Amino acid sequence: MNPSTLALLLIVVPVGSAALTASFLRKKHALATLLSVLVATFYLGGALHLALGGARFESSYSWLKLANLSVDLGFKFDDLAALMLSIVGIVGFCVHIFSLGYMKEDPAKARYFAGLSIFMASMTGIVFADNLFMMFIFWELVGFSSFVLINHWHEQNGPMNASKKAFITNRVGDFGFLIGIILCYYLRGTVNLSELSAQAKAGGAVLSTAVPLLLFCGAVGKSAQLPLQVWLPDAMEGPTPVSALIHAATMVAAGIYMLCRIEVLMVPEALTVISWVGALTAVYAALCAIIQRDIKKVLAYSTLSQLGYMVTAFGLGSLTVHSESGAEIVIKAGVGAAMFHLTTHAFFKALLFLGSGSVIHGCHHEQDIFKMGGLSKTMKVTFLKFTIGVAAISGFPLLAGFFSKDAILFLAYSNNKAIFVILALTAAMTAFYMIRMWIIVFFGKARSDNAAHAHEGGFIFQAPLAILAILAIVGGYRGLYPHGFDGILNLVAEAEGPAKLGMLVVSLIVLSLGAGIAFALYRSVATLTQRDPLEAKFPKLFVSLVHLKESFDSLYSYYVEKVQQRFAMLLNFFDLLGIAGLLRIGAGAFSLLGFGVRALHVGRLNVYLYWFFFGVVLLWLYAAGIF
Amino acid sequence: MVNLMFIIFAGVTVLGALGAILNRNTVNAAMSLLVCLAGVAGLFIQLDAFLLAFLLILVYAGAVVALFLFIIMLLDVKGSLGGLNRSMGTVATLVAVALMIAGVAAFLRHANLPSVETPMSVGVGSSLKAYAELLFTTYLLPVEVVGFLLLSAMLGVIALSRKLS
Amino acid sequence: MIQSSLFAYIGLSAVLFAIGFIGVLIRRNAIVIFMSLELMLIASTLALVAFSKYNQTMDGNVFVFFILTVAAAEVAVGLAIVVALFRQKQTIQVSELDSLKH
């Protein structure tokens, strides 16, 4: 089959499945589930076939032509897209299988699976997009599917508010994104990615700082960077598999993917801004994660932190390295490091989320970690896989996260020492809070009835976890990746010589620092109550971290209540006065006319004659030539 | 004798007309109308329309005004000693009168009617034969139509004066 | 006999018409209003005959026939209506006949 046809099918088939489910299969849950899982399997097969089969192509259909502007829908399938597609395919498949077990008793399964299908299709659209307009269209679609999925349990207030918050925050970022696209079109004459990179190679293209920064706004919204990070922790109101797929592995990574796509538009000032935004996000999220009680919120903040890593990596730009032949070349190490970390993060974060899903399911939908405990004995298999995930994210040597984080730290060390220090500190904090969570959930004795009676899920739960665990272990070895991804993975800069040793030492130091503090604070885990020892021992620190977490939310709600609402009321007043007023004036004029005409009907003969006479006089005057 | 007959008859006519509209007593008003008709008949004679003059007296004065008087006597309502219509308002009335006069004057000025007294031959309308010639040749259709009109008027009156049982 | 000018006759006709119209305007009694209406018709006959004499034709005179007939028919029907109205409303003052008032 023609590769571009297969690519088109990868978008159309999930959309078709979602449409079919939404129209006909709303109540037939089993059928809808089967359809969706089949589609996911087809998707995985198709994605891997395209990515590993070596097909790389570009094609496009002209969709809208307005004078000089032509909005096309096209595919740009290069190594970057291949890598992203494979991630989406693998993680999507695992999540679909996991959902079979997790959502078994849910009354609205069909709607859930339709949402998953729509998401797969929209994400594929972003991956394949060859111009910024098309990317924007599917960007919005992904936001929509995220809204639908977060809002799955829409009878409750929490999911409703969270989905609205997610959508609106994304919208704010997308506004900047759209302006950036328009500005790019205005300055460069095209939004097609290949044409843009051709322009950049040929040189002489108009470079502006505004365009990349505005386009970055879209990434700030979608990938939840400061200051638009407020929606991601709340998005945990959705079902856990959704959190795994969308808010860990793929949708939030779309921002990073987009940044890598528009790398040709970057200027040094923009890159500096981007890297600092990423670094600050990483630190902020790590600080907030330290005090969380909900297992999913810890993972959400850790996602935020890792996304900050990826954005920082991208922003750190390029590096001069020695190629195989010994010559010095400049490679886009930022893109390489960001995408590499994105890949490994997708694997271990999905593993962690699905593992937490297994834990939550096992503890009968209990999500507070201080009510769990002792699960290492009651849920052995999940414990094993979860441990792999925790080790990977903390940067335990030889696992996936170690290599990708190393690459980022090396890049930071080479280009910006201040950011290097921040990132290293964040790595230490990452190790701290992940190990904290690991200890509290799995060790000690069970702190509630639910945890005491925890049980493993079946094969349906364990199979996806196994796949992702394996990938989390081997994902760090770039040599093991198929050559189809060389275009990207070769961009990852590796330290050499003394620098290599230095990086290793730094990684180990931060890991042991974080883990050590965690073990020290929580060593008396057997006697843990439902109160956080951190809160007990360092109350002031605890309270200040809580305030840090809530600061953004309270700022935004202040703004919305006091500023935006008042402005909206003012506009409402003007609308009533002006527009409705204009209409009423028109209507009033007519009713006045009607009133006047009605007043003539007095029912008295003489008055009628008077008016008649008046007309005759007018005619006379006309005949007399006065008019 | 210069225009004396004209002036006399014209004066009679105008006075009669004014009396007809201004008289409080309805019967008096009808009588004034009669006087007015007499004046107009005189004017017709001066215009050599002798047949018409007599027809006027016969039909108008004899039938129409008689009918008026008949109905006035029939509807003997006390309050119908019609006063002037107050609901029109004095101002409106005055305005109407003024406009009337102005209209007439303007019309007359523009009419280019010869004001010189022209001696004319004896009017054509003095013989009955002339009427008959026109009525039964050129104006035959209007005659028929008018006959029809009279028929429908008669039917209408009969229908109107039926008491609903 | 010395004839009067056409202007005089037409002027007189116009004055009669005006008087009749004013009568229609200012009187309250329906029957008097009818009489003023008749006055207007008389004025028009006068004008017709005067013009006919001036133009040396018969048409104006013949037309008076028709006017006369129409006037008679109109009076008959009108008064029949007045009588019927009187039976209903017990009044012929037009100021009290205002059922069509909004």
Side-chain angles (χ1 to χ4, degrees), chain A residues 39-383:
Chain A
V39 165
T41 319
F42 163 74
Y43 188 93
L44 178 65
L48 287 177
H49 176 81
L50 271 180
L52 306 176
R56 301 285 179 260
F57 60 90
E58 284 185 34
S59 64
S60 113
Y61 313 96
S62 179
W63 180 47
L64 264 186
K65 257 187 137 27
L66 306 160
N68 284 334
L69 173 64
S70 165
V71 177
D72 302 331
L73 294 175
F75 298 133
K76 181 184 163 104
F77 194 62
D78 56 358
D79 291 346
L80 179 61
L83 182 62
M84 196 72 197
L85 189 67
S86 319
I87 297 174
V88 173
I90 294 175
V91 176
F93 177 73
C94 291
V95 163
H96 271 85
I97 301 291
F98 191 86
S99 304
L100 279 177
Y102 191 82
M103 303 293 282
K104 200 151 90 166
E105 292 109 28
D106 194 278
K109 267 199 305 198
R111 179 160 49 95
Y112 172 83
F113 277 104
L116 278 185
S117 297
I118 274 276
F119 171 76
M120 297 295 277
S122 327
M123 193 67 210
T124 319
I126 294 186
V127 168
F128 279 140
D130 79 333
N131 63 64
L132 289 173
F133 275 124
M134 178 177 170
M135 192 179 276
F136 185 74
I137 295 172
F138 283 99
W139 196 265
E140 296 294 326
L141 274 175
V142 164
F144 164 70
S145 36
S146 159
F147 172 82
V148 164
L149 285 167
I150 297 177
N151 206 8
H152 180 67
W153 292 310
H154 57 78
E155 309 85 19
Q156 300 159 20
N157 256 340
M160 274 214 310
N161 291 336
S163 60
K164 272 188 282 194
K165 188 173 184 177
F167 199 76
I168 293 176
T169 319
N170 264 314
R171 213 65 192 90
V172 173
D174 292 346
F175 182 61
F177 192 28
L178 187 61
I179 296 187
I181 295 180
I182 296 174
L183 197 59
C184 172
Y185 181 76
Y186 178 68
L187 286 177
R188 298 282 201 115
T190 174
V191 289
N192 190 307
L193 294 166
S194 310
E195 284 177 29
L196 282 172
S197 61
Q199 274 182 3
K201 279 203 184 66
V206 176
L207 284 176
S208 91
T209 322
V211 169
L213 281 178
L214 281 170
L215 293 172
F216 177 57
C217 281
V220 166
K222 189 66 75 183
S223 298
Q225 303 296 302
L226 252 57
L228 293 176
Q229 89 290 0
V230 290
W231 66 271
L232 192 53
D234 284 21
M236 297 298 120
E237 299 276 353
T240 311
V242 165
S243 307
L245 180 60
I246 298 186
H247 305 123
T250 41
M251 186 181 92
V252 292
I256 316 291
Y257 179 76
M258 185 266 285
L259 280 178
C260 294
R261 276 291 198 218
I262 61 167
E263 198 273 332
V264 290
L265 291 171
M266 289 294 156
V267 292
E269 297 85 9
L271 284 175
T272 320
V273 171
I274 291 176
S275 55
W276 276 105
V277 167
L280 288 171
T281 309
V283 155
Y284 173 81
L287 283 171
C288 291
I290 294 177
I291 53 162
Q292 294 300 321
R293 290 181 72 113
D294 186 330
I295 192 173
K296 284 176 71 175
K297 290 256 167 65
V298 176
L299 292 175
Y301 280 106
S302 104
T303 308
L304 271 179
S305 187
Q306 299 302 312
L307 285 169
Y309 262 93
M310 292 179 221
V311 170
T312 313
F314 175 79
L316 286 168
S318 21
L319 200 60
T320 318
V321 292
H322 297 279
S323 70
E324 282 105 30
S325 53
E328 289 207 343
I329 52 168
V330 175
I331 57 166
K332 297 187 193 152
V335 172
M339 284 308 293
F340 188 38
H341 196 62
L342 194 154
T343 316
T344 56
H345 175 262
F347 295 142
F348 57 65
K349 196 42 74 66
L351 171 65
L352 281 170
F353 261 110
L354 289 183
S356 76
S358 173
V359 163
I360 292 173
H361 182 82
C363 294
H364 302 287
H365 294 282
E366 174 62 64
Q367 291 187 243
D368 187 341
I369 56 176
F370 285 102
K371 296 209 177 91
M372 301 174 189
L375 293 177
S376 58
K377 304 201 179 44
T378 38
M379 296 176 76
K380 289 203 175 68
V381 189
T382 309
F383 169 63

Side-chain angles (χ1 to χ4, degrees), chain C residues 4-100:
Chain C
S4 305
S5 66
L6 182 61
F7 180 82
Y9 278 104
I10 301 305
L12 177 63
S13 158
V15 168
L16 273 178
F17 189 87
I19 294 176
F21 197 91
I22 291 176
V24 172
L25 277 181
I26 66 173
R27 291 303 296 256
R28 227 176 3 187
N29 194 328
I31 299 182
V32 178
I33 290 178
F34 259 114
M35 288 201 287
S36 315
L37 227 48
E38 295 308 312
L39 208 48
M40 288 201 271
L41 279 170
I42 290 167
S44 68
T45 55
L46 183 61
L48 270 168
V49 173
F51 271 120
S52 158
K53 169 101 194 281
Y54 177 71
N55 288 333
Q56 298 280 311
T57 64
M58 281 300 295
D59 298 83
N61 288 3
V62 168
F63 211 73
V64 175
F65 265 95
F66 299 122
I67 292 185
L68 230 47
T69 322
V70 167
E74 167 216 336
V75 166
V77 175
L79 287 176
I81 292 177
V82 167
V83 168
L85 203 56
F86 179 74
R87 280 213 208 111
Q88 283 284 90
K89 297 256 181 173
Q90 314 303 321
T91 179
I92 47 172
Q93 312 284 350
V94 290
S95 53
E96 288 168 36
L97 300 171
D98 58 358
S99 337
L100 281 180

